[in-house]
Amino acid sequence: MTEKIDKYKVQAALVRSFFDAFSHGVIESQVEDRNEKTTPQSVKKLMLEHYEHIAPAFFDTMFFPLAAMNYKYEDIAALAREAQQRGDDMMALVRTACGDEAYYNAMVEEYKRNFSMLLAGKYLSNADHLEGYVRKAKEETEALVDSDRAIELTVRVVMFAYVRGLRQTGEGARFDRSAHLGQVHPLRGATLFRLMLDAMNILLLDEAVDFADAEASDLASLFLKVCQTQHNFTVMTDEMDRTYSELMKE
């Protein structure tokens, strides 16, 4: 039987994954020196330069995943049309996608937490994210998301956000199939895999994984460590393939 994950945990993982992937896409496309890519100065400078691009990219990337946690897939298009007919702006559309005020407010808090860290030139570690993300209030009824769906949505956020970050400088989404893990390799595969490892860690586990005893060259073992099961690993790689196909058509 498929497992379930708390909706607040999923939502927080999606928001963190967007900021992580989008910012690294921007940085990868503009900073050539490996040692300068994630220095506080580089991160802060580039986030300030792309300040006005982040909210539109967030909406484009996150509307569907947020809505997919709260509505049936077949209802999402109608939901978006109705909101647009009302003249809703981006944040009103995101509010609708979140389903209710509590989840919307939690999403806003996660947005602020991640964005403010980047504007300070820093990234949230997996451990800090897991310790501090917004949880359900005591009086709320627990809401859960099917783990397969949560994995699929997180994969999409990572890949779409990363490519949208790359495209901020017109580089576009170039891909390299020189190695194989679910057939998906953007221009800088190592970056994508690190982003995906972190995303699966914060989505599927309650503590940061220590990779000290893992063989860095063995991607499958690294991903199995965060995915926990072969089933979750397969769900992740299958969705990477599907998302790759979508990105290639854009």
Side-chain angles (χ1 to χ4, degrees):
M1 181 166 57
T2 306
E3 296 181 357
K4 304 287 184 180
I5 306 174
D6 175 72
K7 190 184 288 188
Y8 280 101
K9 183 177 176 68
V10 177
Q11 181 173 264
L14 293 176
V15 175
R16 194 281 186 124
S17 295
F18 166 80
F19 279 102
D20 202 16
F22 181 81
S23 61
H24 275 88
V26 172
I27 290 167
E28 287 283 314
S29 66
Q30 295 193 44
V31 182
E32 292 298 327
D33 186 340
R34 183 184 297 273
N35 295 324
E36 293 295 320
K37 286 186 184 296
T38 55
T39 63
Q41 295 84 355
S42 293
V43 174
K44 183 176 181 178
K45 175 177 179 291
L46 289 172
M47 290 303 98
L48 287 171
E49 288 177 357
H50 292 272
Y51 186 94
E52 72 276 14
H53 302 143
I54 292 178
F58 182 86
F59 172 76
D60 289 343
T61 305
M62 296 291 290
F63 176 79
F64 174 80
L66 291 172
M69 291 196 296
N70 300 294
Y71 305 93
K72 295 179 180 178
Y73 284 152
E74 57 268 26
D75 295 335
I76 294 175
L79 182 78
R81 284 196 302 270
E82 291 168 5
Q84 288 172 339
Q85 288 169 2
R86 293 194 301 268
D88 290 354
D89 61 16
M90 283 192 302
M91 291 314 294
L93 282 164
V94 171
R95 186 188 297 268
T96 299
C98 288
D100 69 31
E101 200 69 13
Y103 289 113
Y104 174 75
N105 290 337
M107 183 279 298
V108 171
E109 286 303 308
E110 292 301 320
Y111 185 105
K112 291 177 179 177
R113 184 165 75 121
N114 283 272
F115 198 2
S116 62
M117 287 288 289
L118 290 174
L119 290 177
K122 303 174 184 178
Y123 283 94
L124 275 174
S125 68
N126 289 354
D128 287 342
H129 170 85
L130 288 168
E131 180 180 353
Y133 74 85
V134 178
R135 266 92 167 163
K136 150 181 103 62
K138 290 182 179 180
E139 65 273 13
E140 287 184 78
T141 302
E142 185 175 47
L144 302 172
V145 180
D146 180 275
S147 61
D148 285 7
R149 175 174 287 194
I151 292 168
E152 291 164 358
L153 296 175
T154 304
V155 167
R156 291 178 63 85
V157 166
V158 170
M159 294 182 70
F160 272 94
Y162 180 54
V163 169
R164 284 176 174 137
L166 289 173
R167 287 175 176 168
Q168 292 303 307
T169 53
E171 180 173 330
R174 291 186 285 163
F175 293 85
D176 171 19
R177 290 173 177 253
S178 60
H180 294 281
L181 176 68
Q183 303 298 317
V184 184
H185 295 274
L187 174 65
R188 298 172 176 84
T191 299
L192 176 70
F193 293 141
R194 189 201 62 74
L195 293 168
M196 201 67 72
L197 281 167
D198 285 347
M200 290 300 109
N201 186 170
I202 64 172
L203 176 69
L204 298 172
L205 300 170
D206 293 324
E207 60 182 19
V209 169
D210 180 4
F211 293 111
D213 63 344
E215 183 61 47
S217 62
D218 186 354
L219 283 170
S221 68
L222 292 176
F223 275 102
L224 278 171
K225 192 165 187 175
V226 291
C227 289
Q228 297 289 285
T229 68
Q230 183 64 48
H231 173 81
N232 289 343
F233 177 80
T234 300
V235 172
M236 181 196 72
T237 53
D238 285 351
E239 187 58 33
M240 289 175 76
D241 284 343
R242 282 191 292 269
T243 304
Y244 173 87
S245 296
E246 286 187 44
L247 287 167
M248 290 300 291
K249 294 174 183 177
E250 285 194 345

